[in-house]
Amino acid sequence: LQARQSTYVLRFVNPHSTAELTALDHAALRAIFRKEAWFSGGNRDALLRSWSRTGSVDSALNWYRANVQPRCPLSCVTADCWRQGLNTTFDDIFTSRPVVHTPTHVIWGMRDFAFDNLGSLGYIRNNVTFLKGLRISNYSEYGHWIANEAPLLLATTFLEFIQGIYS
């Protein structure tokens, strides 16, 4: 289930994805967000302006590109697979990472369409040993775009987390 839900990641790490996502006035990006209640009016207009700035979409995709290493099924260079239209897979993003001693707070929307939420949260709690000082907050009423769905909650939660570090 999780592998199927995460296939969008391969689209994002593909070096050609920026052009694909921004073509035709950002049609593919609009399609990703069209069903989200928060993607309307001023929020939608602000995102469209942001996506139009040079490098904006790449900066959003760079998290995936830095953390996910695609694997070509033919053991060739991944870019060659993309040029040939072959599917690629990716290694587990939680393995072979250096230990991070910085306090880390994961804020998780349990209605996230991109993750098997209970399985993923359990996996993170039990296997993400490279994050020392990990704190996880999960909210049943929000999804993948929790920053857009509940910006005040997100800001308050992070502020409390940061205050807890420095108190």
Side-chain angles (χ1 to χ4, degrees):
L1 174 67
Q2 184 59 60
R4 186 176 69 244
Q5 289 175 292
S6 298
T7 56
Y8 74 95
V9 172
L10 293 174
R11 181 181 189 191
F12 289 173
V13 299
N14 183 323
H16 305 291
S17 62
T18 304
E20 177 187 315
L21 291 168
T22 57
L24 303 173
D25 193 27
H26 306 92
L29 285 171
R30 288 174 186 256
I32 290 169
F33 296 109
R34 75 176 176 272
K35 293 181 182 177
E36 303 297 333
W38 56 265
F39 188 66
S40 61
N43 286 338
R44 181 192 57 237
D45 295 344
L47 276 172
L48 289 170
R49 282 191 306 275
S50 174
W51 295 336
S52 297
R53 289 188 203 114
T54 302
S56 174
V57 173
D58 277 319
S59 68
L61 298 176
N62 283 343
W63 183 90
Y64 297 95
R65 293 171 179 163
N67 286 287
V68 177
Q69 302 303 313
R71 239 183 5 248
C72 178
L74 303 177
S75 299
C76 61
V77 176
T78 304
D80 292 338
C81 286
W82 283 321
R83 275 194 291 276
Q84 296 172 43
L86 299 173
N87 291 327
T88 57
T89 60
F90 55 91
D91 294 321
D92 186 339
I93 67 172
F94 299 120
T95 59
S96 303
R97 299 284 180 216
V99 174
V100 176
H101 293 282
T102 304
T104 304
H105 192 172
V106 173
I107 298 177
W108 196 284
M110 294 299 292
R111 292 185 179 180
D112 193 325
F113 63 85
F115 291 96
D116 165 18
N117 290 300
L118 293 176
S120 295
L121 275 176
Y123 181 84
I124 289 171
R125 282 192 179 105
N126 297 320
N127 296 298
V128 182
T129 57
F130 66 90
L131 290 174
K132 304 302 178 191
L134 174 64
R135 177 178 170 191
I136 301 173
S137 298
N138 55 306
Y139 297 94
S140 61
E141 60 271 32
Y142 302 111
H144 191 76
W145 311 109
I146 192 169
N148 299 92
E149 296 168 298
L152 186 57
L153 170 70
L154 188 76
T156 303
T157 303
F158 270 128
L159 182 60
E160 290 170 359
F161 176 68
I162 292 168
Q163 288 171 334
I165 293 169
Y166 293 104
S167 61

